Amino acid sequence: AQSVTQLDSQVPVFEEAPVELRCNYSSSVSVYLFWYVQYPNQGLQLLLKYLSGSTLVKGINGFEAEFNKSQTSFHLRKPSVHISDTAEYFCAVRSGGSYIPTFGRGTSLIVHP
Amino acid sequence: GAGVSQSPSNKVTEKGKDVELRCDPISGHTALYWYRQSLGQGLEFLIYFQGNSAPDKSGLPSDRFSAERTGGSVSTLTIQRTQQEDSAVYLCASSFSASPNEQFFGPGTRLTVL
């Protein structure tokens, strides 16, 4: 079964600093990778996804992620964060043979002024 | 267009009571998922519906949990004889199909069992 590890449960950062949220998954022949964001008291919203093609994926709100097959990672990055980026971020992976994505435990990004 | 809606937004119940949580997916979405989100635990898959196929119930934690989807649209998650450990946010999501598209999530129902 697929597993997803988000190594950091909480990442504090100052406004305008860069940030990287880490995600690793267990190996699979083919995977589809997703990052979702959850603002307080809201459902999850898709930030970006990797289905195929270029390993560098750009999403909404200035976020990007890079698929690294050899390291089975899909880390999320933003060069300069804003206070409004404070939220919970979830990495999700769906193996090619499954209809059900597996989610990581989430990383709480806290942006300080 | 309208997104995924869930009701109620909050539910407080007493231990031992039954509860029903409702999900209205986006019109035309054939796939529907229920997840449970507990504090610090991420999203736990509960059940998956795809069209008229038999649902995948592999994530349901006990036989107190059940779900149905009527007419390929609205879904109801029922928890019988609620326990305190059932307290969590229950999220519903839908997608166009079983293909690797994004899931669209509702705002969730926060269930508190006293």
Side-chain angles (χ1 to χ4, degrees), chain A residues 32 34 36 38 41-46 49 51 88 90 92 94 98-101 103-106, chain B residues 33 35 37 40-43 45 48 56 58 91 98-108 110:
Chain A
Y32 307 101
F34 307 84
Y36 285 85
Q38 185 181 32
N41 300 314
Q42 295 185 26
L44 279 68
Q45 175 186 359
L46 184 71
K49 60 186 175 186
L51 303 181
E88 192 82 13
F90 291 93
R94 192 174 78 81
S98 172
Y99 299 132
I100 302 165
F103 284 81
R105 291 193 168 194
Chain B
Y33 306 76
Y35 294 91
Q37 183 178 22
Q41 296 299 311
L43 271 69
F45 164 74
Y48 162 72
D56 182 334
S58 60
L91 292 168
S99 61
N101 291 330
E102 70 179 283
Q103 291 173 294
F104 294 80
F105 282 82
R110 182 175 298 277

Side-chain angles (χ1 to χ4, degrees), chain A residues 39-83:
Chain A
Y39 298 105
N41 300 314
Q42 295 185 26
L44 279 68
Q45 175 186 359
L46 184 71
L47 267 181
L48 47 78
K49 60 186 175 186
Y50 170 81
L51 303 181
S52 64
S54 172
T55 57
L56 183 62
V57 179
K58 294 190 182 296
I60 62 172
N61 300 341
F63 283 93
E64 64 180 32
E66 186 159 18
F67 169 50
N68 189 319
K69 187 174 182 178
S70 63
Q71 296 186 5
T72 61
S73 67
F74 190 54
H75 300 332
L76 181 70
R77 302 185 183 99
K78 186 170 182 177
S80 176
V81 294
H82 302 289
I83 295 287

Side-chain angles (χ1 to χ4, degrees), chain A residues 12-18 79-86 110-113:
Chain A
V13 64
F14 286 107
E15 193 173 20
E16 298 183 7
S80 176
V81 294
H82 302 289
I83 295 287
S84 60
D85 292 324
T86 295
I110 303 169
V111 182
H112 298 287

